[in-house]
Amino acid sequence: MTETATHTSNVVVVTHPLVRHKLTKLRDETTSTTGFRRLARELSLLLCYEATRDLRLEPVEINTPIEQMTGERLSGKKLCFVSILRAGNGILDGMLDLVPSARVGHIGLFRDPETLRPVEYYMKLPDDIGNRDCIVVDPMLATGYSASAAIDRLKNAGAENIIFVCLLAAPEGIACLSKAHPDVKIITCSVDRELDDHGYIRPGLGDAGDRLFGTK
């Protein structure tokens, strides 16, 4: 059986052939805005499958059209997806396709072009965030500053069990987030080579927000 994910410390790289194929198309500069959105949604669904791998189950009695049986259903804490605005919304929909009952939180951050540090402008979370497993979504883990800041805010609000999911990660971003939050698992499609002087991932896919929403 071919492995579909590789695990290194707290980082999981999803290597399923469909993920690798779709990621290549996502990176291609000739991919249209419509195509980019579709591919991001499809990849997020596949990433969500990996991110929810360890959800707890409990037995439940049901009747099939043929007979009674013992099935399984999710138990324990419920899920909350937390999107880092604005680009996080580009992979949020695919997550909700798989887990439509999940609650959704938003943390608005933009990156200061001089310092590359995040500036918060919005946050809205479920009141019971401390009783939920949280999956934080953002297409890119570049410097790691925004992801670390968002998870700081989540933990301050009471969240304890947190996973970070992104399409691409840079080694610098992984190092930053892992240092700030060593308890947070990172799930991604690829760990790329490096950041350039402007904080963009290389080879990367450009600015995910601009490509998702057709802006520059």
Side-chain angles (χ1 to χ4, degrees):
M1 180 183 297
T2 302
E3 292 293 332
T4 58
T6 59
H7 300 249
T8 304
S9 183
N10 65 326
V11 180
V12 178
V13 180
V14 180
T15 58
H16 190 284
L18 281 176
V19 170
R20 293 159 70 179
H21 169 77
K22 292 177 186 294
L23 181 60
T24 297
K25 295 179 69 175
L26 193 78
R27 292 182 190 271
D28 192 332
E29 66 178 0
T30 65
T31 296
S32 67
T33 299
T34 300
F36 192 94
R37 288 176 187 158
R38 175 179 53 79
L39 287 162
R41 186 174 187 142
E42 291 170 354
L43 282 166
S44 67
L45 194 152
L46 294 167
L47 287 169
C48 187
Y49 179 83
E50 182 64 35
T52 56
R53 178 180 294 277
D54 296 325
L55 292 180
R56 293 174 294 281
L57 296 169
E58 63 183 10
V60 59
E61 294 297 320
I62 64 167
N63 290 305
T64 77
I66 307 300
E67 64 182 33
Q68 186 180 42
M69 66 163 287
T70 301
E72 294 176 304
R73 67 183 176 191
L74 295 176
S75 68
K77 293 183 178 181
K78 303 302 183 182
L79 276 177
C80 178
F81 296 125
V82 180
S83 171
I84 299 179
L85 299 175
R86 65 178 170 152
N89 282 358
I91 57 175
L92 175 63
D93 287 344
M95 300 279 180
L96 289 170
D97 285 344
L98 199 60
V99 193
S101 63
R103 296 294 184 267
V104 177
H106 294 90
I107 299 178
L109 299 167
F110 68 87
R111 186 167 64 175
D112 185 294
E114 298 297 327
T115 65
L116 302 183
R117 294 286 179 173
V119 179
E120 182 181 319
Y121 63 89
Y122 180 81
M123 186 174 80
K124 185 72 172 180
L125 302 172
D127 292 337
D128 62 347
I129 192 70
N131 296 321
R132 294 181 177 274
D133 294 331
C134 294
I135 298 177
V136 181
V137 298
D138 195 2
M140 314 293 276
L141 179 59
T143 63
Y145 298 150
S146 293
S148 296
I151 292 170
D152 281 340
R153 298 289 277 130
L154 273 176
K155 287 185 174 180
N156 289 340
E160 296 180 354
N161 188 21
I162 302 169
I163 294 173
F164 182 82
V165 175
C166 58
L167 298 176
L168 294 182
E172 295 92 333
I174 291 173
C176 176
L177 181 54
S178 297
K179 181 178 180 181
H181 299 287
D183 58 319
V184 173
K185 181 190 294 185
I186 300 166
I187 297 177
T188 186
C189 297
S190 174
V191 178
D192 279 13
R193 188 176 69 249
E194 62 186 359
L195 295 180
D196 65 17
D197 293 339
H198 301 287
Y200 284 98
I201 298 175
R202 287 184 167 276
L205 50 75
D207 186 293
D210 285 343
R211 296 195 68 187
L212 280 164
F213 303 116
T215 56
K216 291 184 179 180

